[in-house]
Structures are given as C-alpha cells and as structure tokens.
C-alpha cells in the first residue's frame, strides 16, 4: 500500500477502505508517514468529506492508536459526558457528581482549556490541593467508592489524535465534521465508558456556529458511537451566551458549587439537570427520561450531589470546604467594572470575544507554556435580554495586574452590545440526537 495512492483516491472524492485508513493512522503515529503527506490527506478530507463508514473506521483506528482504558473492574454502568467546548461551561463539575448520585459511575478523563474555551481539568485544579493525576488503581478505587472521579487525559490516550490535531491546527483543517467527530470520539471510545452523552454547542461561542452544522456534527458522533457498540446520544445546546454568570477557573468552581447548594443561575442549573438526567436514563437508572429528570432534580435538591462533589474533592486531595466557603478559592488581586455606555437592553454577547477576554485576563493560556491565574475571569452582572441603564455595571473582570484587567475590560466591553429593543429569546436546548434519529426541541 502506498500513501501516494491513498492521497490520489481521496483527492478524487472516493471512499477509503478500512485497510487504507489503518495504514495511514498506524504509519503516521509511528512517524513513518511524513507531515506533508498527512497534511495533504487532511486537506483532501476537509474538501471531499468522508462517509459514515469511513469516519467510523478513522475514529476506531485513532482510538486504538494508544491505550484503551479498561473500566471493567469498576462495578456498574460507566457514563461519560463531553462538551464540544464553550465559554463558562462548568457543567461537568455539577453533572459528574449529580449523575453519580443517580447511580451512574462517572470515571472520566477531561481536558484542559483549548483556545478561548475553558477546560474541566483547569477548573478542578483551582481547588487548593486537588490532584487530576491519579494512578489507575486509585482512579478505579475513587470511582467505585464515590461514584465519580475526574482525571486528566493520559498521554497514551489516542496519540494519533494528538499528532493529527497539532497538524490540523496549523494547516487550516480543523473545520471538518469527519475530522472533529473522529477527534472527539476517538478519545471518548478510548476512555472506556459504556454510555457517552455529547453536549454539542451551537452559537457565537461554539466551534459550530450554525444549528445545521451542529446537528450534522452530533449525528456523525452518534453514528460513530453506535457503530462502536457504545450507547451514544447528543444534545444540541446554546452557546450564543456564556453559560451561567462566570468565566474563569475558580469563579466557575464557585458558581458550580452554588448550583450544587441549590442556588446559582437558572440556565446552568437547567442544563446540568438535563445532562445528568440523560446520563441516568442512558445508564438504565430510570425507566423514562421524565423519571430520570425527576431523579436528578431530587438528588440535586436533597444534597446528594453536593455530598458526592465534596467526597470526590476530598478523595482527590482537595479542600472540600470550598463548596460552602468560596473565599477559600484563589482570588484575583484586581477587579474592574465594565459599565454600560448607554440605556437599552443587552442584546448581543460575542461569546468568542468574551472567551478571548478571559484568556487575556489570565484564565486561559495564550501560549502552551502560559501559567494560569486561577482567580482571573469575568463575572457578568447582566445577561442577554436584561435592561441596562447607562453607567450601570454590565460585569466585572478579575486579574492579577492592573494592565491585564484593563485589557480584559476593553475586550469584554467590545463583546457586549446594547440595543434599543430586547433581543429575541433564544432556547437553551435545540435538538436531541439518538441512534433512533433527530428530534428538534
Ligand atoms: N475538540 C477536539 O477534541 N477535537 C476537535 O477536532 C475539535 C474539538
């Protein structure tokens, strides 16, 4: 088999065989296929696409390029949840413990922030003492005893994706549904859970800006999961506005704890309950989605989810008292208010720009080596559709230096638009995709 022939075939828009895909992934991971040929194939895939069978073969091949986690020694049905990335998305901190309280075992690997989007591992590491590195034995023990353990991705997980992603990043080949779907699902399949719930974001802060593209991505991922024999479903949810009212690691932990304590913003609470309910339903912990929702509501209300969160934090070396004492989380030295320039309604939030502002403030990484400032970020005083008066705070930025705070405030101010009329209300949920089909919500 020759890479040249594989390239020519895809250039002509023909489907690659499983053997050809495996030849490419094996050779590229081993360093035998050079970057220039891999880049050419990625670009051909971007332009010509891949059918469902090819995408599934590519995903399985990438998943098997490294370690496949074996969770079989942990009793119970293991459930995973993945967000395609957003701004202020701290749902995993709530959904993990809440799904565990509903009886699902959440033995999960999560990622760090990527570009302007945040990552669960960075958020958890803002809790004093919390360790996202656990030995495989301790990981399994915590998952079994507490029902939830969240660790960083092992370097051995889907190494083909790591190499391919780095190449896509610099060859303008990130925006391709088969490539995004295979990248995400290869890591999910290698993570070893029985059920996979995908939260596919849509809107100005999402990878997929339109509903149409988001649905296509979700359908591609659900089809891969089904072909791989894992129970997989996806919800399409809004990312045209940051989720909740905070962006930034410790600020988001604080807000997640508010929801676990029965308070917090309504959108964050509603999304977290829905995601946990789907996980419980998929894992067979309730006979219907309706009953799963009631179960998740009850476990949030009666404090069971909060208790799981505290036990997880303690088991992973962190200080569980932060749940009720947010002042024990890292705090930024400088805060600045962003004021409304005129009367009106907050009618648009450029969510990607708000995410960019949080990175400049220190909540994300500008380069791979950047150190995070855990206390940095944004707290919104107003959300989409709120009436505002000139001079009122739209939000506050937090940073460790005056210079960063000013730069972040400037970017945030540019991301917020005040209009003369309230905007149309956007739904939080757009569609649900299962192996049976797509349902618009
Ligand atoms: N997240 C991933 O892991 N991969 C992609 O290609 C896009 C988002």
């Amino acid at each position: 088999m020759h890479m040249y022939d594989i390239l020519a075939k895809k250039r002509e828009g023909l489907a690659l065989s499983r053997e050809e895909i495996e030849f490419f992934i094996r050779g590229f991971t081993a360093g035998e296929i050079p970057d220039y040929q891999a880049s050419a194939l990625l670009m051909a895939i971007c332009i010509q696409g891949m059918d469902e069978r090819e995408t599934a073969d590519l995903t399985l091949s990438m998943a098997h390029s490294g370690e496949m986690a074996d969770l079989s020694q942990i009793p119970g049905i293991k459930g995973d949840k993945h967000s395609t990335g957003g701004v202020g998305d701290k749902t995993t901190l709530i959904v993990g413990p809440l799904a565990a309280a509903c009886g699902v075992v959440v033995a999960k690997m999560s990622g760090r922030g990527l570009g302007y989007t945040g990552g669960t591992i960075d958020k958890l590491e803002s809790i004093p003492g919390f360790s996202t590195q656990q030995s495989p034995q301790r990981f399994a023990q915590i998952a079994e005893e507490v029902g939830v353990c969240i660790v960083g991705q092992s370097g051995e997980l889907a190494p083909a994706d790591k190499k391919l992603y780095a190449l896509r990043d610099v060859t303008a080949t990130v925006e391709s549904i088969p490539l995004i779907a295979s990248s995400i699902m290869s890591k999910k399949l290698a993570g070893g859970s029985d059920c996979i719930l995908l939260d596919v974001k849509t809107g100005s802060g999402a990878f997929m800006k339109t509903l149409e593209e988001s649905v296509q991505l979700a359908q591609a991922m659900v089809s891969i999961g089904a072909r791989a024999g894992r129970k997989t479903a996806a919800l399409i949810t809004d990312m045209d506005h940051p989720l909740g009212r905070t962006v930034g690691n410790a600020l988001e932990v604080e807000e997640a704890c508010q929801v676990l304590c029965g308070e917090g913003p309504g959108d964050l609470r509603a999304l977290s309950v829905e995601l946990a309910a789907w996980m419980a339903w998929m894992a067979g912990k309730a006979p219907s989605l309706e009953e799963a929702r009631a179960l998740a509501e009850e476990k949030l209300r009666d404090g069971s989810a909060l208790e799981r969160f505290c036990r997880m934090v303690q088991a992973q070396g962190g200080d569980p008292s932060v749940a009720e004492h947010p002042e024990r989380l890292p705090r930024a030295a400088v805060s600045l208010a962003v004021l409304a320039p005129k009367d009106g309604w907050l009618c648009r939030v450029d969510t990607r720009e708000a995410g960019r502002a949080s990175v400049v403030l220190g909540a994300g990484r500008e380069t791979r080596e950047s150190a995070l400032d855990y206390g940095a970020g944004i707290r919104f005083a107003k959300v989409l559709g709120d009436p505002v008066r000139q001079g009122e705070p739209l939000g506050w930025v937090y940073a460790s230096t005056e210079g960063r705070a000013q730069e972040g405030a400037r970017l945030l101010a540019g991301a917020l638009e005040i209009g003369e009329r309230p905007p149309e209300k956007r739904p939080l949920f757009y569609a649900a995709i299962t192996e049976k089909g797509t349902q618009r919500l």
Side-chain angles (χ1 to χ4, degrees):
M1 212 175 281
H2 298 283
M3 195 56 200
Y4 184 93
D5 299 330
I6 294 176
L7 288 172
K9 195 169 171 186
K10 188 41 82 185
R11 184 196 63 211
E12 297 307 315
L14 301 172
L16 302 178
S17 68
R18 181 182 331 150
E19 291 70 28
E20 287 164 334
I21 290 170
E22 285 174 354
F23 172 85
F24 165 63
I25 292 297
R26 209 174 302 119
F28 179 63
T29 311
E32 291 154 8
I33 291 172
D35 282 0
Y36 55 83
Q37 285 187 317
S39 306
L41 184 60
L42 291 171
M43 188 56 87
I45 293 172
C46 256
I47 294 167
Q48 297 288 10
M50 274 187 147
D51 65 25
E52 271 189 39
R53 194 270 310 150
E54 282 179 288
T55 311
D57 285 343
L58 176 63
T59 311
L60 283 170
S61 193
M62 285 162 69
H64 286 278
S65 66
E67 210 174 84
M68 294 288 288
D70 177 10
L71 305 182
S72 61
Q73 80 274 29
I74 310 171
I77 304 287
K78 274 70 70 181
D80 197 352
K81 170 251 160 201
H82 179 84
S83 155
T84 56
V87 178
D89 184 357
K90 67 279 289 173
T91 52
T92 297
L93 305 180
I94 304 162
V95 174
L98 181 52
C102 295
V104 185
V105 179
V106 184
K108 180 171 167 47
M109 291 185 209
S110 283
R112 296 192 180 277
L114 187 65
Y116 64 92
T117 65
T120 300
I121 291 302
D122 294 331
K123 297 175 216 260
L124 285 171
E125 287 181 352
S126 74
I127 300 173
F130 195 100
S131 171
T132 57
Q133 303 295 314
Q134 304 289 334
S135 68
Q137 295 73 19
R138 182 73 184 132
F139 174 62
Q141 187 188 8
I142 298 172
E144 183 172 350
E145 288 174 9
V146 183
V148 51
C149 184
I150 304 174
V151 295
Q153 239 154 45
S154 133
E156 291 307 306
L157 197 86
D161 175 61
K162 202 168 177 186
K163 278 190 83 177
L164 281 173
Y165 196 89
L167 209 51
R168 288 168 58 209
D169 209 17
V170 292
T171 54
T173 52
V174 170
E175 284 84 0
S176 149
I177 287 179
L179 293 180
I180 297 176
S182 55
S183 166
I184 292 174
M185 288 302 288
S186 63
K187 288 172 284 201
K188 293 291 107 185
L189 297 180
S193 286
D194 307 298
C195 310
I196 302 166
L197 177 63
L198 302 156
D199 179 7
V200 178
K201 300 292 186 192
T202 191
S204 67
F207 262 113
M208 299 284 126
K209 304 282 183 274
T210 67
L211 181 56
E212 205 52 43
E213 288 172 322
S214 307
V215 168
Q216 282 173 18
L217 176 64
Q219 287 170 337
M221 293 195 289
V222 170
S223 152
I224 294 168
R227 282 172 180 265
R230 307 287 174 91
K231 202 163 193 179
T232 310
L235 296 180
I236 311 281
T237 72
D238 187 55
M239 189 37 73
D240 217 33
H241 187 282
L243 192 60
R245 288 182 172 241
T246 61
V247 184
N249 299 294
L251 290 165
E252 293 191 42
V253 169
E254 178 180 346
E255 192 168 64
C257 290
Q258 287 169 358
V259 171
L260 287 165
C261 290
E263 297 151 20
D267 60 343
L268 178 60
R269 186 186 194 284
L271 179 55
S272 302
V273 167
E274 189 66 11
L275 292 169
W278 272 78
M279 286 177 75
W281 181 50
M282 289 166 75
K285 299 298 166 188
S288 70
L289 190 51
E290 260 325 297
E291 284 156 284
R293 285 189 186 114
L295 178 66
E297 284 285 358
E298 182 194 324
K299 298 295 177 191
L300 188 57
R301 210 171 23 242
D302 72 7
S304 310
L306 175 63
E307 189 235 0
R308 297 285 177 140
F309 174 82
C310 292
R311 283 171 60 201
M312 172 188 76
V313 171
Q314 178 124 46
Q316 296 194 232
D319 175 3
S321 74
V322 298
E324 273 148 23
H325 294 281
E327 71 281 1
R328 295 180 187 164
L329 287 163
R331 291 284 162 120
V334 182
S335 70
L336 273 183
V338 173
L339 305 179
K342 58 180 181 182
D343 288 356
W345 276 267
L346 183 57
C347 67
R348 200 175 99 84
V349 178
D350 184 330
T351 306
R352 176 190 257 268
E353 273 310 291
R356 280 285 310 136
S358 75
V359 172
V360 166
L361 288 163
R365 294 178 186 81
E366 299 217 55
T367 67
R368 257 197 311 191
E369 291 72 36
S370 305
L372 291 182
D373 179 355
Y374 288 124
I378 301 167
R379 193 189 295 276
F380 289 92
K382 303 285 179 190
V383 291
L384 211 58
D386 279 352
V388 300
R389 304 300 302 263
Q390 184 180 8
E392 244 191 325
L394 297 172
W396 294 270
V397 296
Y398 301 89
S400 57
T401 67
E402 193 68 37
R404 275 183 177 245
Q406 277 176 2
E407 178 63 3
R410 191 185 61 76
L411 283 174
L412 181 62
L416 306 176
E417 200 178 306
I418 311 294
E420 287 172 4
R421 275 176 293 280
E424 244 177 62
K425 224 173 146 37
R426 283 178 65 96
L428 186 52
F429 301 99
Y430 286 91
I433 289 113
T434 64
E435 290 157 32
K436 296 207 177 94
T438 299
Q439 192 194 349
R440 302 273 170 160
L441 302 173

